[in-house]
Amino acid sequence: MLAFDRGALRGTRGSMVEVDLDVELARVRALVEGVVASLGVDPKVALAKEDAQGTSWTLQRGSAPILITLATRPAAPAGHLRAYLRVISPVFTLPGADGHEALFRHLLELNAAGLANAAFGLIDQRIVAVSERPTEDLQTAEVDQMIRHLAAVADTYDNRLAAQFGGSAVAVAAPAPPGSPAATPGAST
């Protein structure tokens, strides 16, 4: 069971609401797959991983590879799990290991200036754009906005940041599953 305080979500006192975690994950999975399909991608083709830790889909929007992950993680009170939807895209790879203060300052300024539901971060030597939220009360329009907006941020800043600060833009296409037109030489789309 997933427990959350609906009142706390709205800034008022409310009662704890028990939500079946399997039902919540199935509900949000259907939302994600509907949005992926509305983007012209077969959700079954985009499905990258499905296991006990969560479900992930990959797709390409412009030059931005996008990873969409639906997963759970521990939450308060102890022993409870909470479901999250996370959309992430690698933007570019850092040049070398030193001298990134100006870049990091610029990224923090962009975050503070209002990327709206997205932020830049660092994973290993890659700058990423990320958007995440708990799944409670998540609607189709929000899933669509998360994916489209995050892709637009990554697509807008990948070459721009690489040119300004060095490094290389990450324009890696999402892997094509075997048998899909993109994976079949000579096939047309």
Side-chain angles (χ1 to χ4, degrees), residues 165-185:
F165 295 101
S168 57
V170 179
V172 179
S180 69
T184 308

Side-chain angles (χ1 to χ4, degrees), residues 89-145:
S89 179
V91 177
F92 79 102
T93 303
L94 292 174
D98 300 321
H100 304 303
E101 183 178 330
L103 166 64
F104 294 152
R105 179 181 182 88
H106 183 68
L107 293 174
L108 288 170
E109 289 170 348
L110 287 171
N111 286 347
L115 286 177
N117 301 320
F120 287 107
L122 179 66
I123 297 178
D124 297 322
Q125 287 297 106
R126 284 204 173 154
I127 299 297
V128 297
V130 64
S131 180
E132 179 178 283
R133 82 177 290 284
T135 62
E136 291 95 13
D137 298 324
L138 184 65
Q139 301 297 314
T140 302
E142 293 170 290
V143 174
D144 184 73
Q145 188 275 339

Side-chain angles (χ1 to χ4, degrees), residues 16-105:
M16 291 299 286
V17 176
E18 292 288 328
V19 176
D20 184 305
L21 191 55
D22 291 332
V23 171
E24 178 68 358
L25 291 171
R27 181 187 75 80
V28 176
R29 180 181 179 143
L31 293 177
V32 170
E33 290 179 343
V35 170
V36 168
S38 78
L39 295 171
V41 178
D42 181 345
K44 291 179 181 142
V45 172
L47 186 64
K49 178 182 141 186
E50 183 175 27
D51 61 22
Q53 282 71 46
T55 305
S56 296
W57 300 263
T58 60
L59 55 119
Q60 189 84 22
R61 299 290 295 164
S63 63
I66 305 296
L67 176 66
I68 305 160
T69 302
L70 174 61
T72 60
R73 61 176 178 249
H80 284 83
L81 291 175
R82 191 171 193 187
Y84 288 85
L85 182 65
R86 180 179 180 93
V87 182
I88 190 167
S89 179
V91 177
F92 79 102
T93 303
L94 292 174
D98 300 321
H100 304 303
E101 183 178 330
L103 166 64
F104 294 152
R105 179 181 182 88

